[in-house]
Amino acid sequence: MSVAAPDSPANSAADGVEEYNCPVAAGRVRVLLPLPLPAPLDYLVPDGAASPEPGSFVRVPLGSRRVVGVVWHGDSDGEVPAARLKPVIEILPTPPLRPELRRFIDRVAAYTLAPAGAVLKMAMSVEAALLPPPPRRVCAATEAGLAALAAPAESGVSNKLTASRRLVLEGLRDGGACPVAEAARRAGCGAGVVRGLIAAGLVGERLVPGDPPPAPGNWLADGLPLSPDQEAAARRLVARVEAGGFSVTVLDGVTGSGKTETYFAAIAAALAAGRQVLVLLPEIALGAQWLARFHERFGAEPAQWHSDVAQPARRDTWRAVASGRARIVVGARSALFLPFAELGLIVVDEEHDPSFKQEDGVCYQARDMAVLRASLARIPIVLVSATPSLETIVNIARDRYQRVRLPRRHAEAALPSVSLVDMRRERLAPGRFLAAPLVEGIERTLAAGEQALLFLNRRGYAPLTLCRACGHRMQCPSCTAWLVEHRFAGRLQCHHCGYGAPVPAVCPECLAAGTLVPCGPGVERLAEEVAARFPGARTALMVSDLLSGPRAAAELAAAMVARQYDLLIGTQIVAKGHHFPMLTLVGVVDADLGLAGGDLRAAERTYQLLHQVGGRAGRAERPGRVLIQTYMPEQAVMQALVAGDRDGFLAAEANARRASGMPPFGRLAALIISADDPDSADFAARALARAAPHLPGIAVLGPAPAPLAILRGRHRRRFLVKAERSVDVQAVMRDWLGRVRLGGSVRLQIDIDPYSFL
Ligand code: ADP
Ligand code: ZN
């Protein structure tokens, strides 16, 4: 069995959960509320009532409010005399939160230094799930409907049935009663067809109590025949699942090697063994093609959990996960806090993806916390990537994680060739961003009837709007940030706070008309250049703010596969997951964008992102080519991309981080102070600075104004704590912050293992 890194959140994997089952002292219970309070509160159990077991959901009074919380384990400090305690109002009829999840909540809170209640809130984000579900409206074929279906083809009755009406009725007859939308989905038609059948009396509606039935699915279905490489890798993953117990396996395979199909085998093994599975994906857009492949493999949709899922579906899913009706959940990082009944496997796809790091509220890294959850549940976890994070690579080197490799692309496809376009030598007309080699590449690709992808990781039309007359720059009124023009929407927008305003007709500073000019490219501006240069090309934009949701992203991806487009322009949402067989050219328009901030992981992230997006090229028979426009061709990351030398690049990165004591060789924690006015922020920063720890192995840097010095109108100051690996940073921070009282308007955000330094 592998053990977690002692310095990772999963550092005491052997901890038991027994203490989490101990009975509650009679008469008095501790209740953790889903609020940012430092500890559980004591309540009384009404006379004669049985003491609720730990994990029970209870409704309790809090001031003038009534709040649902969870009976927590551990002894009350008994400080508040019983006479002053308020009684529990009711115990909710929901199965208790399991010890494993309660322990996970405690551990995440301890690691992130967030109040346990704030972490609990993520585990009970849909309060409606704690109450019995309202009755559901379902439809079923009526007698008349069944008769119409059974009537011979030449009889008058059945002639009334159009093909789609027939399919709906057959679906209801064979699959049983279900909501209208589901009936339409089964038949592959619109809901209007079902409504028409209802109006005709061939389908009837009724209300039924209880939760919806589990999604059908054949967990034992065979997948695609695997290649020998995949087969060998799948065998090792399946062996981990069958062995049970905690283990971390990294599925490290080049882009297009068939990693998904390979870990599907592990998922199938866990499902067949009667366990639940959690798959974490970084972005919903990526989920679209994934869901289609899952459906192909298992004949069912997994339960989904992310911010786009509507409340009623969230309620159903939460309950289905708790009761075990949902066997597999695919979701964003918050799915980690679902109350699984019998979790048997966690898969983190694209484990290196920065979006696994939550930056607000409870700051946590979902990949790391997934490892913690697996260790507490004593189950295997698989981390999947073509470009594993340096943290993961170092854990492999330390023998904490095992690695399974897929070194080749599936079906003989070769990895694309990568070359650089040295932008220092290119002469571009103003407002043009595509250099000659890339333009030529696109021309050749289009002439060959193949597809091209242009990648620019910047939404909107232009990142800066400037007055030609007075030099005024359009800035967000509440952030230290330029406003980004979104030309399709006709607005200037702040990408930090969401502020937006129409593009003004005159400069707000000097009142000159027609002097505002866009500076620099965003994808919308690139689309303009493409339309001018390649008027015959069918072009699409894949950008989150221009797509209405995951479905629209999936439709666009499908249209791309169906070759309804020749050229795709996109931001990072095109970088991952997609498989476009006819896509042979990838052009990276500004490869240096991610290096600008110069933070700790800038080079690593740039490598990962550009390697991923390059990996979209040449995934089938036709070979792929990647052209990278850069002003820094000599940079190590650019050279590594050209040479395809990921491991060499990571080794150099690791050496540099080791030498500077940076993660994963040292620890970082950030402290962000914010206040309504700069003086309060400075005052709080000075108070914290005076109390800062002076201990061996620890350096406190700051306070300094944050690069984003004002965000949403709040003035921000930062400390960065840099510590040796052996230091218990959380203990130091807890002690430090415990010694300082801050003013009312001052907020303090703690970010352990920060990824953003803004
Ligand atoms: P990765 O996730 O490693 O980038 P994918 O899992 O997307 O790669 O696989 C690349 C392509 O190869 C996909 O279109 C997938 O359907 C196909 N593929 C993978 N494994 C098989 C297999 N065993 N048989 C047939 N097609 C496969
Ligand atoms: Zn703003």
Side-chain angles (χ1 to χ4, degrees), residues 476 479 494 497:
C476 175
C479 302
C494 173
C497 72

Side-chain angles (χ1 to χ4, degrees), residues 362-525:
V362 180
C363 296
Y364 68 98
Q365 161 52 277
R367 179 237 302 143
D368 296 347
M369 294 303 136
V371 172
L372 170 63
R373 182 144 195 194
S375 82
L376 293 176
R378 298 183 176 135
I379 58 170
I381 176 167
V382 181
L383 308 179
V384 184
S385 180
T387 50
S389 61
L390 191 61
E391 280 77 2
T392 292
I393 293 290
V394 169
N395 275 322
I396 294 170
R398 289 175 182 157
D399 280 336
R400 298 197 172 111
Y401 297 178
Q402 331 238 321
R403 165 152 50 191
V404 173
R405 280 187 194 262
L406 284 175
R408 277 176 291 271
R409 279 196 157 177
H410 185 70
E412 321 278 293
L415 282 168
S417 69
V418 181
S419 40
L420 302 177
V421 179
D422 183 348
M423 295 301 279
R424 296 169 308 188
R425 299 218 199 102
E426 298 292 325
R427 292 286 157 263
L428 295 183
R432 290 290 169 108
F433 304 96
L434 299 176
L438 185 48
V439 172
E440 255 166 58
I442 297 171
E443 275 163 359
R444 262 191 282 143
T445 304
L446 297 180
E450 297 165 357
Q451 294 171 312
L453 167 68
L454 289 178
F455 173 74
L456 175 61
N457 203 11
R458 203 190 254 146
R459 294 183 290 124
Y461 185 82
L464 170 65
T465 302
L466 160 88
C467 173
R468 228 183 313 115
C470 75
H472 176 71
R473 295 161 173 227
M474 298 297 292
Q475 197 184 337
C476 175
S478 20
C479 302
T480 316
W482 309 130
L483 292 174
V484 179
E485 180 182 354
H486 286 250
R487 193 155 283 194
F488 295 149
R491 290 171 80 75
L492 295 173
Q493 286 178 2
C494 173
H495 283 185
H496 296 284
C497 72
Y499 169 87
V503 184
V506 298
C507 169
E509 189 68 22
C510 71
L511 303 180
T515 55
L516 291 176
V517 288
C519 298
V523 280
E524 294 179 8
R525 195 170 193 187

Side-chain angles (χ1 to χ4, degrees), residues 342-364:
E342 40 198 351
L343 190 57
L345 173 68
I346 303 177
V347 176
V348 183
D349 203 349
E350 310 284 2
E351 68 87 27
H352 64 278
D353 197 280
S355 72
F356 281 125
K357 180 70 200 300
Q358 174 153 308
E359 311 274 24
D360 50 34
V362 180
C363 296
Y364 68 98

Side-chain angles (χ1 to χ4, degrees), residues 548-559:
S548 55
R551 177 144 309 175
E555 278 164 12
L556 180 50

